[in-house]
């Protein structure tokens, strides 16, 4: 089968870079709102100049090593036809049997943790932006949490409307945001250029060694500066590798470094400040209350954009996992006719809203919420590094002489961040990890349950052979019309066809087994995506293959099959599918799944979207054949 890389619209580089600012850099771009504040609190004492420079040096080198080198330099080379992310990294290693189960587990768990990180990011971002009002007046404090809850609730409620229109403003707003934080930082650096000494990694090493075990707590806070790094890789398919890299090195990285250095310069002179150093740095410019309010508004809009990117990223990840067979069918709605990535997944949206609002109400401030932030993303980053090291050896075939220093450096850095965040488990760090673990259990249970069904249905092959014999002999009644039997198997007689024949002792005159298969490629444009063959008297088998990022069109698939000679008219067919109700096998020795997993799988299966909705089939021409299946 010929598979082609989807051609992206021919946008000018500047336009693509602007789009990257709005789609990719919202999370990492708003990190200066809370990162240095959290780092300072993690010292456990009033930081001196050496402490501040050490913290700045850690942030500086974290951005260079993890984001610039690891993600922009290495990870973006590991793509599947332009699509990135840890699931794609996992799929690139899927062909290797040695350690396949372990690699798959790491990839799935890393992907599942993104949901936990996604629930925390909107809450901490919006809270930190509104907390800028505290610099203006203490009277604003009682209104910050209700305001954040209102903004977050409105953001999730607006998802069903789509973001195609407002999304066009994301890039320019984020460009303005980076320009503002860069200028603020640059002014303070000019006033106190001594902070530039933090570019020397010796400051980071000396600070870490001096702090001893407390240094891991500081690293657990420093990781907040790079929490959006995984998004650079995961969102690569939206705008392309080149625009992301160029915008990072020419605008985003310089402005982030200027912002952090400017805040550090302020902290060296005001170490006892209780306010957020980001807003304190702006207040020190003495531009007036109106300017501060304008900055709070801009910061709030930027955090909304960051939250939007996280939410839409969760939607895309859900679709990928679902079409790769790791998630039950969920209702997905396309919200834009032009932009394929604009989708809406109601279940994911409302679940994330409940989790995000719950976290905001439980922790009540960005400072407290920061203790729960970082554990999920640091774990995902470490898992990504491990998969990258395996990829270097198995797929890229690098020599050990190159893998050991490069992979070793990344593993040490990510391992240190991971260790630092594990110290925050009892203070709330367990929350996003628990969310990720729950998603991981759902994904693996669904996969194992689906395989168990396939194993049980395989025991019915004898009845299929008898049915085929009747069809060949012409002893089974055939009714007028065409029936399309939806199946995930490659058998000539799928389960819904066998069920119909056994119950009514008849089949349509033209009986077509249709398998919808999702490839590990994101898009498939070739007409070869549809194949068909004749399997018996009046019986045919059609296999329609779609990329995991596509929304399947059965009408298009059937039209392609008709063009190749299959006697099918998409407008005059009846669709059939099997709907198994999972129950416990009476013989314990014959049970495939343990009780808890069978119960969970049954719950997922009963609530999964049916084929009529998943594939947008005409309801008046769809029949579901129900039966109980013992597992």
């Amino acid at each position: 089968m010929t598979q082609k890389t989807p051609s992206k619209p021919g946008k000018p580089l500047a336009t693509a870079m602007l789009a990257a600012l709005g789609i990719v850099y919202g999370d990492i771009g708003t990190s200066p709102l809370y990162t240095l504040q959290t780092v300072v609190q993690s010292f456990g004492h009033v930081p001196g100049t050496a402490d501040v420079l050490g913290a700045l040096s850690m942030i500086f080198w974290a951005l260079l090593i993890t984001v610039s080198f690891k993600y922009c330099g290495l990870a973006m080379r590991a793509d599947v036809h332009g699509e990135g992310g840890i699931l794609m990294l996992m799929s690139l290693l899927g062909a290797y049997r040695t350690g396949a189960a372990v690699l798959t587990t790491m990839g799935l768990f890393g992907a599942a943790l993104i949901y936990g990180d996604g629930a925390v990011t909107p809450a901490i971002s919006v809270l930190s932006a509104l907390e800028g009002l505290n610099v203006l007046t203490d009277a604003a404090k009682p209104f910050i949490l209700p305001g954040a809850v209102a903004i977050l609730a409105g953001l999730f409620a607006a998802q069903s409307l789509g973001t195609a229109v407002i999304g066009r403003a994301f890039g320019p707003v984020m460009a303005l945001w980076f320009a503002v934080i860069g200028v603020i930082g640059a002014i303070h650096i000019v006033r106190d250029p001594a902070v530039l000494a933090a570019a020397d990694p010796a400051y980071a090493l000396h600070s870490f060694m001096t702090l001893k075990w407390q240094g891991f707590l500081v690293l657990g806070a420093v990781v907040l500066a790079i929490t959006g790094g995984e998004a650079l890789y995961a969102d690569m398919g939206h705008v392309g590798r080149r625009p992301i890299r160029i915008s990072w090195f020419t605008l985003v990285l310089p402005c982030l470094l200027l912002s952090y250095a400017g805040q550090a310069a302020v902290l060296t002179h005001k170490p006892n400040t209780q306010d957020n150093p980001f807003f304190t740095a702006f207040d020190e410019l003495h531009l007036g209350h109106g300017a501060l309010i304008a900055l709070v508004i801009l910061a709030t809009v930027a955090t909304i954009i960051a939250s939007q990117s996280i939410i839409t990223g969760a939607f895309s990840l859900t679709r990928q996992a679902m079409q790769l067979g790791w998630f039950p069918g969920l209702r997905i709605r396309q919200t834009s006719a032009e932009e394929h990535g604009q989708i809406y997944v109601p279940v994911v949206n409302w679940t994330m809203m409940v989790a995000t609002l719950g976290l905001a109400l439980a922790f009540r401030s960005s400072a407290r919420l920061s203790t729960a932030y970082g554990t999920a993303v640091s774990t995902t980053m470490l898992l990504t590094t491990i998969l990258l090291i395996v990829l270097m050896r198995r797929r890229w075939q690098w020599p050990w002489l190159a893998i050991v220093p490069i992979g070793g450096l990344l593993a040490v850095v990510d391992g240190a961040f991971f260790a630092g965040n594990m110290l925050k488990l009892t203070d709330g760090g367990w929350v996003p990890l628990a969310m990720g673990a729950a998603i991981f259990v759902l994904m693996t249970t669904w996969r194992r349950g689906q395989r168990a069904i396939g194993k049980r249905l395989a025991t019915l092959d004898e009845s299929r052979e008898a049915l085929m014999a009747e069809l060949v002999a012409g002893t089974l009644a055939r009714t007028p019309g065409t029936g399309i039997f939806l199946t995930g198997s490659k058998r000539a007689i799928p389960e819904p066809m066998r069920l119909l024949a056994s119950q009514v002792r008849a089949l349509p005159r033209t009986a077509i087994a249709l398998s919808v298969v999702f490839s590990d490629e994101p898009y498939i444009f070739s007409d070869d995506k549809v194949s068909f063959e004749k399997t018996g008297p009046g019986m045919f088998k059609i296999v329609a293959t779609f990329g995991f990022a596509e929304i399947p069109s059965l009408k298009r698939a059937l039209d392609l099959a008709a063009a190749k000679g299959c006697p099918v008219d998409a407008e005059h067919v009846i669709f059939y599918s099997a709907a198994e109700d999972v129950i416990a096998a009476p013989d314990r020795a014959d049970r495939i799944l343990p009780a808890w997993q069978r119960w969970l799988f049954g719950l997922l299966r009963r609530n999964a979207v049916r084929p009529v909705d998943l594939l947008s089939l005409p309801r008046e021409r769809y029949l579901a054949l129900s039966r109980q299946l013992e597992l």
Side-chain angles (χ1 to χ4, degrees):
M1 180 180 296
T2 303
Q3 298 175 336
K4 301 177 182 178
T5 305
S7 57
K8 291 180 172 58
K11 296 180 180 179
L13 179 60
T15 303
M17 289 172 60
L18 197 62
L21 294 180
I23 296 173
V24 177
Y25 290 113
D27 188 1
I28 199 169
T30 53
S31 294
L33 281 167
Y34 47 80
T35 296
L36 203 56
Q37 177 187 32
T38 306
V39 172
V40 169
Q41 292 172 345
S42 66
F43 276 106
H45 60 264
V46 176
T49 299
D51 292 324
V52 174
L53 292 179
L56 179 60
S57 184
M58 292 180 191
I59 292 173
F60 177 84
W61 286 101
L63 288 168
L64 287 185
I65 295 174
T66 302
V67 183
S68 301
F69 179 62
K70 172 185 167 181
Y71 283 108
C72 286
L74 287 178
M76 285 188 179
R77 294 184 57 202
D79 68 296
V80 180
H81 290 261
E83 295 286 335
I86 194 167
L87 282 181
M88 295 303 94
L89 189 55
M90 182 187 77
S91 69
L92 284 172
L93 295 170
Y96 302 96
R97 293 185 177 182
T98 305
V102 175
L103 296 175
T104 299
T105 298
M106 288 193 294
L108 286 177
F109 189 54
L113 288 173
I114 293 175
Y115 290 96
D117 178 53
V120 181
T121 297
I124 191 173
S125 298
V126 174
L127 277 170
S128 61
L130 292 181
E131 285 168 355
L133 295 173
N134 288 334
V135 178
L136 185 64
T137 173
D138 289 339
K141 287 184 178 181
F143 303 100
I144 289 175
L145 180 59
V149 169
I151 290 172
L152 291 169
L155 174 64
F156 282 101
Q159 293 304 308
S160 61
L161 303 177
T163 57
V165 176
I166 191 174
R168 298 190 184 101
F170 284 3
V173 170
M174 290 307 299
L176 175 62
W177 167 255
F178 284 117
V180 169
I181 67 174
V183 169
I184 295 172
I187 292 173
H188 286 289
I189 293 172
V190 170
R191 293 177 176 179
D192 185 7
V195 295
L196 295 178
D200 184 350
Y203 281 91
L205 293 173
H206 180 266
S207 180
F208 180 78
M209 298 299 291
T210 302
L211 291 168
K212 299 180 181 179
W213 285 108
Q214 190 75 18
F216 283 100
L217 287 175
V218 174
L219 285 178
V222 169
V223 78
L224 301 184
I226 57 174
T227 51
E230 191 75 24
L232 275 70
Y233 182 33
D235 292 334
M236 185 169 60
H238 289 286
V239 292
R241 179 189 296 111
R242 189 163 175 252
I244 291 176
R245 283 175 168 170
I246 295 178
S247 57
W248 169 255
F249 287 107
T250 60
L251 178 64
V252 179
L253 178 62
C255 290
L256 289 176
L257 293 177
L258 288 173
S259 179
Y260 286 121
Q263 293 179 54
V266 171
L267 285 174
T268 58
H269 297 287
K270 299 183 68 174
N272 290 304
T273 181
Q274 298 299 311
D275 294 320
N276 187 320
F278 175 85
F279 290 103
T280 300
F282 182 82
D283 192 49
E284 286 292 303
L285 300 180
H286 304 294
L287 298 178
H289 292 343
L292 179 60
I293 292 175
L295 179 64
V296 171
I297 293 173
L298 177 60
T300 303
V301 174
T303 57
I304 290 174
I305 293 174
S307 303
Q308 178 64 56
S309 300
I310 289 291
I311 296 168
T312 54
F315 291 165
S316 299
L317 179 63
T318 300
R319 181 171 64 183
Q320 289 183 12
M322 187 176 73
Q323 297 185 169
L324 288 173
W326 291 101
F327 226 80
L330 298 177
R331 193 181 301 275
I332 295 179
R333 200 176 81 214
Q334 189 78 29
T335 59
S336 171
E338 293 81 23
E339 297 291 335
H340 180 81
Q342 295 289 343
I343 60 174
Y344 172 60
V345 188
V347 171
V348 174
N349 183 66
W350 299 121
T351 302
M352 287 187 65
M353 186 188 79
V354 171
T356 300
L357 295 182
L359 287 169
L361 292 170
F363 288 88
R364 306 185 68 82
S365 71
S366 63
R368 294 181 61 192
L369 191 55
S370 65
T371 60
Y373 201 27
T375 53
V377 71
S378 62
T379 305
T380 300
M381 286 182 169
L382 179 59
L383 294 173
T384 297
T385 291
I386 295 172
L387 293 177
L388 272 174
I389 292 173
V390 177
L391 190 76
M392 291 175 193
R393 183 59 181 173
R394 292 187 175 182
R395 195 172 184 93
W396 295 344
Q397 297 183 343
W398 284 14
W400 285 111
L401 193 61
I403 294 174
V404 170
I406 294 175
L409 172 65
L410 297 180
V412 168
V413 171
D414 285 336
F417 285 140
F418 174 77
N421 277 280
M422 288 304 101
L423 296 177
K424 301 193 297 184
L425 282 179
T426 57
D427 294 325
W430 62 271
V431 175
L433 289 180
M435 292 179 182
I439 297 296
F440 176 76
V441 170
L442 292 180
M443 294 170 75
T444 53
T445 295
W446 178 256
R447 182 78 159 198
R448 189 177 180 193
Q450 288 293 88
R451 288 181 172 177
I453 285 180
K455 183 177 180 180
R456 185 64 75 198
L457 293 179
T459 62
L460 303 174
D461 283 342
E462 290 186 4
S463 60
R464 290 188 176 88
E465 293 175 2
L467 176 58
M468 180 61 79
E470 290 187 71
L471 290 168
V472 172
T475 57
L476 188 70
R478 306 297 290 267
T479 59
T482 301
I484 294 184
F485 298 84
L486 304 174
T487 177
S489 74
K490 297 181 180 180
R491 296 186 179 90
I493 299 180
E495 185 61 13
M497 189 184 295
R498 191 194 69 81
L499 279 175
L500 182 66
S502 63
Q503 295 297 322
V504 303
R505 300 302 302 158
L507 280 180
R509 185 166 295 143
T510 301
I512 301 174
L514 173 61
S515 292
V516 176
V517 178
F518 289 99
S519 170
D520 57 3
E521 308 289 344
Y523 301 92
I524 298 175
F525 290 120
S526 171
D527 288 348
D528 291 339
K529 69 191 304 177
V530 174
S531 63
F532 93 97
E533 61 177 321
K534 187 172 184 179
T535 57
M539 299 176 63
F540 302 88
K541 173 70 177 179
I542 296 177
V543 177
T545 305
F546 297 93
F548 66 80
E550 296 183 69
I551 293 180
S553 171
L554 286 193
K555 185 180 185 307
R556 171 64 175 158
L558 294 177
D559 288 344
L560 286 174
K564 295 183 176 184
C566 183
V568 58
D569 180 357
E571 300 297 332
H572 300 90
V573 298
I574 301 294
F575 293 93
Y576 299 87
S577 73
E580 293 90 358
D581 186 16
V582 175
I583 62 173
D587 184 0
R588 287 183 176 273
D590 197 37
R591 293 178 184 176
I592 302 176
L593 297 177
W596 72 269
Q597 201 165 43
R598 184 178 59 252
W599 174 86
L600 180 57
F601 176 67
L603 180 66
L604 293 174
R605 191 168 177 82
R606 286 191 297 274
N607 288 279
V609 173
R610 301 304 180 190
V612 63
D613 297 312
L614 190 62
L615 300 174
S616 300
L617 301 177
R619 294 180 180 276
E620 68 278 7
R621 292 188 283 117
Y622 171 77
L623 292 175
L625 306 173
S626 182
R627 59 159 290 173
Q628 289 187 330
L629 195 67
E630 298 173 346
L631 295 183

